Amino acid sequence: MRVGIRQKIVCVLVMLALAGCQDLDRPDGLRLAVNSWPGYGYFAVAGERGLLNEPGTPVLEIVETSSLSDSVRAFKRGQVDMLGGTLAELAAINQFGNRAASAVLVLNRSVGADMIVASDDITRLDQLAGKRLALEPVSANVLVLAAALAESGLQLNQLELLPLPQGEMPAAMTKGRVDAAITYPPISIELEALAGFSRLFDTGQAPDAVIDLLIVADDVINQHPQELASIIRAHDEALRWGKNNPAEVNKLLSKHTGLSVEELVKLSDSIEMLTLDSQAAFWQPTGPLHRLLPVAGRIVQQLNTRAAEGIGIPSQVLNNRFIPNSEAP
Amino acid sequence: MIKKRLLPTSLARRFNFLMVLFSMLGVVLVAILSYYEHVIEARAEARSIAVDRSLTIVDAMETGASRESISRFIFSVAAQPSVESIALVDAGGRVVLASRRSWQNADVSALSDVIDKQWLAKQAGEDMSVYWDEPNVQAVVIAPIEPVNPASSVIRDLQGGRLLFALDARPHIASARKEAWFDAFWASGVLVVMMLLVSRALHRQVAWPLEKLYQRTRSPDDQALASDPAPTGQVRELKALGDAISELAKARLAVGVEKQRLEDIADSIPGAVYEYRHYPDGDDEFLYFSGGIQQLVDLDAETAHAWDFARIGANVWSRILPEDRENLEQATQAANYPEPGEWQAEYRVQISDGIRWIWGHAMPVADDQPGQLFRGVMLDITDRKELEQRLQQAATHDPLTGALNRAGIEPHLESSLAGARRRNHPMSIVLIDIDYFKNVNDTFGHGVGDSVLIQLVEMFKRRLRKADSLARWGGEEFLILLPDTDAKGAFQLAEALRKAIEQATFKHQQPLTISLGIATANAGDSLKSLVRRADDNLYAAKHGGRNQVMGLIEKPESLES
């Protein structure tokens, strides 16, 4: 049978079109932004332990940042697919970013690790009134502040807030630019070590105020749920191994956080790492996540826009699909 | 050689084959060019980005207020997806600041899982250098740290150290490959489509009409070729070619008709016409035979219709009787030397039911080919030959007895006498007369007389040798020529004949005798004198009482003397 020239041309064009339609969205790996907070360090531990090399687990590239705000910025710029952060970062991303994200895992709860360090002349929280308080505008500091405000009865407008990156806080304190700072390790350790400064308030007094989360872009959750689940499993395995091998895990954490082993040991009392089977309570509709999210959202919005009243954050940003034994919200 | 074997001989197929071949080559070439163009561009881009980022970091080192701010800046830059590593290394090889905390305060070799050792070991030159690491697909920048007036003391401590920057170029290269493929596919697609269109146009306008012309020229039917216009399309050259082929076919048709007419004429003559070429070295060949040759020499149909004239010529030659071949060769020789001339010969050929006489005649024809061309005719002359033989028989033989007559034997006598003289051999004749034969005719009638004569001749012949000749010399007179026979031998033979007749019984049941006169040739004898002497001896025998032989008294040795 003679095939006409038109059919031939159409065939060639169709073949070319099909050849051109390759899957351009397929990622080579996922990128995670973490600052030096030890609670985020177990992804690096999972990597060191080879837990991320299992078949089906995507390459996880850990991008180290200086601070949570740098992690958020990297996420907003599309440089990373996920980050370690708190409800404050989750709220900030969803309120002011152009890229939606959800929390999929509770990494740890800070018990006393986040704190307010103040000059020795301030001994009570209410003495902060009229003082200059340094804090990172978008970070757990916000949550510590919220808890502290609740504890002392102070109002937000009674304080002079000075947004400052964590790394610059020690210098600002010693030079007298601020009277107090909301901080967390390792900077908190540095600050407490400075003469004339001591801890005024910590999250031990408000244990659920600072919860660290794995925050993932919604498009990654929707397009690569299996890859994400395998990363979460690897992280959980790293946690379990770490619990049984505290000395070794501290060595690895030290390498990736820049903290010494001694510092990590000291910190370990105030950081409670949460495995998968201890997640469910957090994700309850009445649990801390759902309770704190709206508060955090409001504070973040107020801080960023100076608005009197913030708008709420939809509860869908708490995505429990990767949490075993968790009820659907 | 290979090319010749691979290429189809049909123009259309060869055309398609070459189109496909060139298209494939074009596609491969486009793909390769596109690939290298994009990949080289991507490498250059990656190097350029690496240099750009490194310069930014160098500037930041100059202006960064504190270790923390510079570290933060490094982390920010490193957060960009393609930045693999940034490390500020002091003069002693210790990493002071880096994009990973695990590298900080470690030896530069800690970066070896990201940057190849050869780059880690390399010291910074005076200026920033950028290297391409092919195995790791990286652009590596090594820049000297020479701050002029840094804001931070950390950077001052780094004086004399180096900045190590590695950019992961895999996304660039992968993207370049995708673009290359995309471009290659589209460019190839356009190429293939254009090739197809060109191929189609050329196939329609050239290859197909040429194919049709080819098929038409392969057809043996000149009539159709000359009358139908060739389907050559609109191409001027092809139309001219088609017309030329039609004209050629017309001319060929006319030549064919004329040839057929000439062949019909040639075939219609009784016999055959032929062309023959004789070469100086004695070789020869037949170039043509008309159709009549089949019937003339009784060729089998297969040979005749093979139109292989050399084969027909060989067949004709094989049928010529061996005793005639020499004559033919002599005639051929005579016709070619010294100058070409008329050739003719009569010869016999063996056909299935006997012998056929052929008269061949040819005339030389001048042409520019080697050898001498002859054109001639072969005619069947068997009837004429038979007539000639009958006439010859009638002129030289006695119609009653079949023996030679006087005219018939006289040449034998002449030649025999001449031969005897030449070779000095004896030669004799015997003249015989039947005694009282008139009485037989008168008594028993001429019918019986004729029978007696016939019986007598039969009896003579039985007793003669092969070389001897017998003739009826007169009414009841016979002459016997005895070559190589002296008088004594002649007498003995004559006496034997006489006795045989004397003892024989004839049809009329009466005894019959003969008288015989012998003459043996002498030197100086003429035919006449010899016959007269024999006649004299016969007369003497008659006169001496008949039924006797006379002539021995002669002295035959006189011939020898």
Side-chain angles (χ1 to χ4, degrees), chain A residues 5 8-9 12-13 16 19-20 24 31 35-36 63-66 69-70 73-74 79 165 167 255-258, chain B residues 68-69 71-72 75-76 78-81 83 99-102 178 181-182 185-186 188-189 192-193 196-197 200:
Chain A
I5 189 82
K8 283 184 193 167
I9 292 173
V12 168
L13 290 178
L16 287 171
L24 300 176
R31 286 163 62 88
N35 60 6
S36 58
V63 176
E64 294 178 7
T65 62
S66 290
S69 56
D70 286 339
R73 194 174 51 188
Q79 293 172 340
K255 184 177 164 188
H256 288 279
T257 58
Chain B
E68 185 58 30
S69 65
S71 174
R72 197 176 160 205
F75 279 126
S76 297
Q80 292 168 17
V83 178
S99 55
R100 285 193 202 166
R101 290 187 181 85
S102 60
K178 272 179 191 163
W181 278 119
F182 191 76
F185 272 117
W186 275 110
S188 304
V192 168
V193 169
L196 279 174
L197 290 174
R200 176 177 162 77

Side-chain angles (χ1 to χ4, degrees), chain A residues 114-116 140-149 182-183 201 203 209-210:
Chain A
D114 292 278
M115 62 188 73
I116 297 174
N141 298 7
V142 171
L143 302 177
V144 174
L145 175 59
L149 290 176
I182 303 179
T183 181
F201 174 82
T203 46
V210 182

Side-chain angles (χ1 to χ4, degrees), chain B residues 434-437 440 452-453 456 498-506 508 510-514 547:
Chain B
I434 304 168
D435 297 335
Y436 305 114
F437 185 67
V440 176
V452 169
L453 285 174
L456 205 64
R498 187 194 65 77
K499 283 182 181 164
I501 299 303
E502 188 179 30
Q503 290 162 9
T505 305
F506 292 88
H508 62 305
Q510 293 293 317
L512 194 71
T513 59
I514 54 173
N547 192 21

